[in-house]
Amino acid sequence: MAEGPFFRAQTPLHPDHLWIWEKAVYVDENRRTWLPITIEIESSLQVLLRQEDVPLGDPVCPSQLGPYLLPVMWQLYPGRRYRASDSSFWRIVYHIEIGGTEDMLLEQLPDPEDE
């Protein structure tokens, strides 16, 4: 029986901050670029962030983005979560690195005032 490629998943360090650079591109404190894929499931909002190196154009101001579903900035908080620029909290569902590619899935937590 032939063996296929073997990849070991690693748990990398979470970025301290993620800032919007241009529509659909975030940058962390180490100038690594992250590409978001938004997932809406019933009343839940999730975003899959994939760390991929992409050439950066000029940064945009948030006002130049127009209506945008995701926050312009996330800051790492204790308890495996991020606080967004709109004061919402996002839970880190997972953050893995496999074969040199990092994926991080965030899920927006319900606003306690809405409950």
Side-chain angles (χ1 to χ4, degrees):
M1 185 166 158
E3 285 193 33
F6 177 73
F7 294 105
R8 177 166 293 183
Q10 299 177 0
T11 305
L13 295 175
H14 307 310
D16 285 329
H17 290 84
L18 292 162
W19 295 273
I20 191 100
W21 188 267
E22 56 192 60
K23 196 163 189 168
V25 178
Y26 285 85
V27 176
D28 67 19
E29 64 277 5
N30 296 311
R31 290 193 54 89
R32 297 183 317 150
T33 49
W34 296 77
L35 307 178
I37 298 172
T38 305
I39 306 163
E40 291 183 79
I41 303 170
E42 295 177 15
S43 61
S44 170
L45 180 61
Q46 296 180 333
V47 60
L48 176 64
L49 292 157
R50 173 161 287 176
Q51 195 282 308
E52 282 189 25
D53 295 331
V54 297
L56 291 174
D58 293 327
V60 297
C61 295
S63 61
Q64 294 174 305
L65 290 172
Y68 198 61
L69 194 57
L70 298 175
V72 296
M73 190 269 300
W74 279 291
Q75 179 180 354
L76 186 61
Y77 259 55
R80 292 185 48 91
R81 61 189 178 151
Y82 281 92
R83 182 151 193 190
S85 53
D86 62 3
S87 297
S88 62
F89 284 97
W90 294 70
R91 173 177 75 95
I92 301 170
V93 178
Y94 66 80
H95 182 190
I96 58 171
E97 179 180 349
I98 299 176
T101 300
E102 281 185 57
D103 283 339
M104 181 167 58
L105 181 66
L106 303 179
E107 179 176 53
Q108 188 174 27
L109 296 172
D111 186 344
E113 294 179 9
D114 291 343
E115 295 180 350

